[in-house]
Amino acid sequence: MHDWQYSERARHLTSSAIREILKVTERPDVISFAGGLPSPATFPVERMRAAAERVLTESPQAALQYSATEGFAPLREWIAKRYSRDGLTLAPENVLVTTGSQQGLDLIGKIFIDEGSRVLVEAPSYLGALQSFSLFAPTYVPVPTDEHGLLPEALTPEQTAGARFLYAMPNFQNPTGRRLPMARREALAAVARRDGLAIIEDDPYGELDYEGQRLPSLMSLAPEHVLYMGSFSKVLAPGLRLGFIIGPQAVIAKLVQAKQAADLHTPSLTQRIAYEVVKDGFLDTHIPSIRTLYAAQANAMLASLAKHMPAGTTWTPPAGGMFIWLTLPPGIDTMQLLEKAIAQNVAFVPGAPFYVGTPPANTLRLSFVTVPPEKIEVGVARLGALVADALARSDSTHLQGSCKCPSTTN
Amino acid sequence: MHDWQYSERARHLTSSAIREILKVTERPDVISFAGGLPSPATFPVERMRAAAERVLTESPQAALQYSATEGFAPLREWIAKRYSRDGLTLAPENVLVTTGSQQGLDLIGKIFIDEGSRVLVEAPSYLGALQSFSLFAPTYVPVPTDEHGLLPEALTPEQTAGARFLYAMPNFQNPTGRRLPMARREALAAVARRDGLAIIEDDPYGELDYEGQRLPSLMSLAPEHVLYMGSFSKVLAPGLRLGFIIGPQAVIAKLVQAKQAADLHTPSLTQRIAYEVVKDGFLDTHIPSIRTLYAAQANAMLASLAKHMPAGTTWTPPAGGMFIWLTLPPGIDTMQLLEKAIAQNVAFVPGAPFYVGTPPANTLRLSFVTVPPEKIEVGVARLGALVADALARSDSTHLQGSCKCPSTTN
């Protein structure tokens, strides 16, 4: 056998827990709250088909040929216009189209992280980002959070000194579903200005606020300090692998060079199809329908949780997005719980992989968007019984679960 | 202004010469031999449209949803079958679908190259590969070539010791258009076995041999030591960004992990469309039509070169692919020549950027596939006059150019 000589970097590569779990839960009899997949019921199939037809009729050769690394010009222009709000004015040169947001994370890791560079991340943070950044061997610094998200006051000048960036997901964070309140956004922007802190604002779920009341982006509050990452995965279709980065032109230019080496450009065909679909304001009617669906799904899960979860279990009702984060009573290990759950055909993602450093053992992430409400009820009931059982073994009392309903929005 | 703290790696990022030149040559009045683009006349537009329609009718939700990092299973199977030849038997597990071959280069750089790792490359070598690998800061070791390509005897045990891999393009290399003869392939495979040398065999043009007489891949000669990179860009359409890596399952598994962090997966839609187009043997009739077109284009350029190039200019007639490599008389700098050529609305790519270390100044790459024959004649005539003029200034004699026609195939 050949002895393949891998790089040091390759040793940082591990298959994600989410990925391994997803393999198990592909069985149709499993009620899976583990996925991070949007509901396929929201995919605008007819429009996509018509768009593909139009693109391959009207500009087939351009759609099938190599194209610019920066992205399809009309799509960049559309993105620049759409995100010119909250006092911000953007040009197409502020936009780079990426092959999904995941590629954005890889490119950002590449151009900013040296071995040992300090990178600030929320505790917990998005697993896919940690995976991408880890290839470049940063030193992670966890930033504490509460039920409203990241705590800006934890970002002291000592904490931010020398940090390459803070990676944050202010809207309906993956995994916690939390949204950062306005006052904290302003505090975070003030920290960025005070300390010259770069912020990566990852915002795949921002459009999915159930009330349709968006909060201003960090980018709009501190445009010089923020790279904003957007995605078509949750508002159109993830199978297109279309995301984008918005930021200062000099940084975008650097990212373009990194992208050229990474895949030359995002497929011309998918970019043109997406542009055809969105160009005439389709998202203005489409996104509200996703919001309505997800809000109903969230309510179904919240009702089931209130009914079936034993006391000591807490969660925050999401104002948007796809996830609910559960904190179980201390002493329950959700990695162990998962094994029992899967034996009963229910799946979730344990919270531990979302943390850098020492994770709490008793958290887990539930996705509520793809499971029908009646199955949500069945699945959560099974989960509640398992938690109650684990509690009984650890000799605790059984009471009813409680919603950690936010009383303030500071 | 915010002071963005880039990584050391980001300093290796430069915009490619090809890229900058392509920008200039987008003007319609320029006769460009600079592009590396396949002829859009070869894109099977009708079939692509029908395939897109079918995919978005028969399996729209799967085509628009997240999918496996390894690639669309039927496409992997198709690739495994197609490349099971010359004594080789492949399984789908030997195949990773990539977002174009360029992504394959990035993933390979990631998992194999540490700072300072020795990486052997042909002199000259494919610029896009050098760009990708350079991000991981290898120490390049150029391997000498002649008009038949890489010289296996130059690969002494001292040269290969500690090398992470040899990167080679044995078929109709970019930029030289050369094909490695059979005896050299066998010699190279013997070196791989003797020294435990890993080889990256990049083969985007392998199917484009004008006589339809393919030589066995390095992979088939030394399967344990070779990672093979293939692409749909030159036989179907580059705008899909579809490539693949074939290799030992353990290496593919590592690459899958790297790809997961890079873009989760290649777009589900483009993979399924490509599979629809190729699954029933379409390439068996399609590729010969590309070969016929490119052979005619190559002949047109060869005839023009013979007619218009002054003595001392040499080239090798390609047996396939898209490029002819010119060596001008010593003393002519093709970077300077390019400026004059562009002033006369003709473009090519100077050879220097394709070399690591000290490049010769007097080489250049011509692509012949997208310019109509009558314009090839006009463009080459202008180029010939410019070379003659440069020669006159350097006080040389003007004779007729010569084809370095191979007399042997060692």
Side-chain angles (χ1 to χ4, degrees):
Chain A
M1 282 300 293
H2 183 84
D3 181 24
W4 296 86
Q5 301 291 319
Y6 294 106
S7 63
E8 189 62 39
R9 189 181 307 107
R11 296 178 209 176
H12 296 286
L13 283 169
T14 49
S15 204
S16 88
I18 286 183
R19 181 184 168 75
E20 294 309 310
I21 289 160
L22 278 177
K23 281 185 184 165
V24 178
T25 60
E26 273 166 13
R27 301 196 320 253
D29 51 335
V30 172
I31 298 175
S32 179
F33 306 131
L37 283 62
S39 169
T42 67
F43 300 161
V45 171
E46 284 308 321
R47 288 204 164 243
M48 298 288 297
R49 189 155 48 211
E53 169 77 20
R54 208 149 50 234
V55 166
L56 286 169
T57 303
E58 291 171 9
S59 49
Q61 295 196 331
L64 297 172
Q65 187 57 286
Y66 286 117
S67 58
T69 303
E70 292 85 346
F72 180 48
L75 184 61
R76 293 174 79 203
E77 199 172 327
W78 181 90
I79 293 166
K81 268 193 194 150
R82 186 171 177 87
Y83 287 84
S84 289
R85 63 186 170 208
D86 301 326
L88 200 62
T89 307
L90 298 165
E93 291 73 24
N94 294 114
V95 179
L96 169 65
V97 177
T98 57
T99 307
S101 258
Q102 188 69 36
Q103 182 181 55
L105 295 167
D106 178 57
L107 300 178
I108 284 167
K110 266 185 186 145
I111 76 161
F112 289 120
I113 303 177
D114 285 311
E115 188 177 339
S117 297
R118 285 163 62 85
V119 168
L120 307 173
V121 297
E122 296 166 292
S125 187
Y126 172 51
L127 187 53
L130 299 179
Q131 275 187 286
S132 272
F133 299 156
S134 290
L135 273 174
F136 307 105
T139 299
Y140 286 120
V141 182
V143 182
T145 64
D146 66 11
E147 70 268 30
H148 302 295
L150 178 151
L151 293 160
E153 62 267 33
L155 292 167
T156 61
E158 292 71 36
Q159 282 281 64
T160 65
R164 291 297 163 93
F165 58 77
L166 161 70
Y167 170 77
M169 202 182 279
N171 289 318
F172 321 121
Q173 195 224 25
N174 184 350
T176 65
R178 294 164 184 159
R179 172 157 68 171
L180 199 67
M182 191 57 205
R184 291 197 188 181
R185 290 172 193 246
E186 282 164 350
L188 200 48
V191 169
R193 283 188 293 268
R194 183 194 69 196
D195 299 347
L197 176 67
I199 299 177
I200 309 299
E201 177 177 25
D202 192 1
D203 193 26
Y205 310 106
E207 306 256 18
L208 302 181
D209 58 315
Y210 305 147
E211 304 293 328
Q213 294 180 333
R214 309 182 48 170
L215 296 179
S217 64
L218 299 175
M219 170 171 66
S220 70
L221 299 173
E224 283 193 4
H225 303 279
V226 176
L227 284 184
Y228 177 96
M229 301 180 62
S231 172
F232 288 99
S233 290
K234 309 305 184 293
V235 296
L236 209 56
L240 297 174
R241 308 307 303 120
L242 276 180
F244 48 92
I245 304 177
I246 304 176
Q249 293 189 21
V251 186
I252 294 295
K254 255 314 187 209
L255 288 165
V256 167
Q257 293 180 343
K259 179 167 166 71
Q260 199 188 357
D263 67 356
L264 293 183
H265 63 83
T266 294
S268 321
L269 181 62
T270 51
Q271 292 189 71
R272 284 172 182 259
I273 291 175
Y275 176 69
E276 263 316 296
V277 171
V278 302
K279 69 177 184 183
D280 293 326
F282 168 67
L283 292 184
D284 297 341
T285 54
H286 183 57
I287 290 173
S289 74
I290 304 176
R291 287 176 186 148
T292 304
L293 172 67
Y294 286 7
Q297 295 279 129
N299 283 336
M301 183 165 276
L302 289 168
S304 298
L305 286 169
K307 195 165 157 192
H308 298 292
M309 279 294 144
T313 303
T314 59
W315 58 90
T316 308
M322 298 168 43
F323 304 110
I324 295 176
W325 183 248
L326 255 63
T327 304
L328 303 184
I332 298 185
D333 183 325
T334 54
M335 292 296 271
Q336 290 169 9
L337 191 73
L338 178 60
E339 283 179 39
K340 293 178 185 162
I342 289 202
Q344 295 198 18
N345 289 338
V346 184
F348 58 84
V349 183
F354 296 97
Y355 288 88
V356 297
T358 315
N362 60 331
T363 59
L364 62 88
R365 188 192 78 178
L366 298 174
S367 165
F368 46 77
V369 304
T370 48
V371 181
E374 62 279 11
K375 283 205 172 177
I376 287 180
E377 171 84 30
V378 175
V380 170
R382 283 185 207 162
L383 214 51
L386 283 171
V387 174
D389 185 55
L391 270 176
R393 285 165 197 269
S394 69
D395 206 22
S396 301
T397 52
H398 300 188
L399 298 169
Q400 203 178 3
S402 63
C403 170
K404 196 188 284 178
C405 297
S407 51
T408 65
T409 54
N410 68 302
Chain B
M1 281 299 293
H2 183 83
D3 181 22
W4 296 85
Q5 301 292 319
Y6 294 107
S7 62
E8 189 62 38
R9 189 180 308 107
R11 296 177 209 176
H12 296 286
L13 283 169
T14 49
S15 204
S16 88
I18 286 182
R19 182 183 167 77
E20 294 310 309
I21 289 160
L22 277 177
K23 281 186 185 165
V24 178
T25 60
E26 274 165 11
R27 301 196 321 253
D29 51 336
V30 172
I31 298 175
S32 179
F33 306 131
L37 284 62
S39 168
T42 67
F43 300 162
V45 171
E46 283 310 318
R47 288 203 164 242
M48 299 288 297
R49 188 155 50 212
E53 169 76 20
R54 210 151 47 236
V55 165
L56 287 168
T57 302
E58 291 171 9
S59 49
Q61 294 195 332
L64 296 172
Q65 186 58 285
Y66 286 117
S67 58
T69 304
E70 292 85 346
F72 181 48
L75 184 61
R76 293 174 79 203
E77 199 172 327
W78 181 90
I79 293 166
K81 268 192 195 152
R82 187 170 177 86
Y83 287 84
S84 290
R85 64 185 169 209
D86 300 327
L88 201 63
T89 307
L90 298 165
E93 291 72 26
N94 294 114
V95 179
L96 169 65
V97 177
T98 58
T99 308
S101 257
Q102 188 68 36
Q103 182 181 56
L105 295 168
D106 178 58
L107 300 179
I108 284 167
K110 265 184 186 146
I111 76 161
F112 288 120
I113 304 176
D114 286 312
E115 189 177 338
S117 297
R118 285 162 62 84
V119 168
L120 306 173
V121 297
E122 295 165 293
S125 186
Y126 172 51
L127 187 53
L130 300 180
Q131 275 188 285
S132 273
F133 299 155
S134 290
L135 272 175
F136 306 106
T139 299
Y140 285 120
V141 181
V143 182
T145 64
D146 65 11
E147 71 268 29
H148 302 294
L150 179 149
L151 294 160
E153 62 267 32
L155 293 167
T156 60
E158 292 70 39
Q159 282 282 64
T160 64
R164 291 297 165 92
F165 57 77
L166 161 71
Y167 170 75
M169 202 182 278
N171 289 318
F172 321 121
Q173 195 223 25
N174 184 348
T176 64
R178 295 164 184 158
R179 172 157 67 170
L180 199 67
M182 190 58 206
R184 290 196 188 181
R185 290 171 193 246
E186 282 164 350
L188 200 48
V191 170
R193 282 188 295 267
R194 181 194 71 197
D195 298 349
L197 176 68
I199 299 177
I200 310 300
E201 178 179 24
D202 192 1
D203 193 25
Y205 310 107
E207 307 255 18
L208 303 181
D209 59 315
Y210 306 146
E211 304 293 326
Q213 294 181 332
R214 309 183 46 171
L215 296 180
S217 64
L218 299 175
M219 170 170 65
S220 70
L221 299 172
E224 285 193 2
H225 303 279
V226 176
L227 285 184
Y228 177 95
M229 302 180 63
S231 171
F232 288 99
S233 290
K234 309 304 185 294
V235 297
L236 210 55
L240 297 174
R241 308 307 303 120
L242 277 180
F244 48 91
I245 305 177
I246 304 176
Q249 293 189 18
V251 186
I252 293 296
K254 249 329 182 199
L255 289 166
V256 167
Q257 293 179 343
K259 180 168 166 69
Q260 198 187 359
D263 68 356
L264 293 183
H265 63 85
T266 294
S268 321
L269 182 61
T270 51
Q271 291 189 72
R272 284 171 182 260
I273 291 174
Y275 176 68
E276 260 321 291
V277 170
V278 301
K279 68 177 183 184
D280 293 326
F282 169 66
L283 292 185
D284 298 341
T285 54
H286 183 57
I287 290 173
S289 74
I290 304 176
R291 287 176 186 150
T292 304
L293 172 67
Y294 287 7
Q297 295 279 129
N299 284 336
M301 183 166 277
L302 289 168
S304 297
L305 287 169
K307 193 164 157 192
H308 298 291
M309 279 295 144
T313 304
T314 59
W315 59 91
T316 307
M322 298 167 43
F323 304 111
I324 295 176
W325 184 247
L326 255 63
T327 304
L328 302 184
I332 298 186
D333 183 325
T334 54
M335 293 296 272
Q336 291 169 9
L337 190 72
L338 178 61
E339 282 178 40
K340 292 178 187 162
I342 290 205
Q344 295 199 20
N345 289 339
V346 183
F348 58 83
V349 183
F354 297 97
Y355 288 87
V356 298
T358 314
N362 60 331
T363 59
L364 63 88
R365 188 192 79 179
L366 298 174
S367 165
F368 46 79
V369 305
T370 48
V371 180
E374 62 278 13
K375 284 206 174 176
I376 287 180
E377 170 85 29
V378 174
V380 170
R382 283 186 206 161
L383 214 50
L386 283 171
V387 174
D389 185 55
L391 269 177
R393 285 166 198 269
S394 68
D395 205 20
S396 301
T397 53
H398 300 186
L399 298 167
Q400 204 179 1
S402 63
C403 170
K404 195 188 283 180
C405 297
S407 52
T408 66
T409 53
N410 68 305

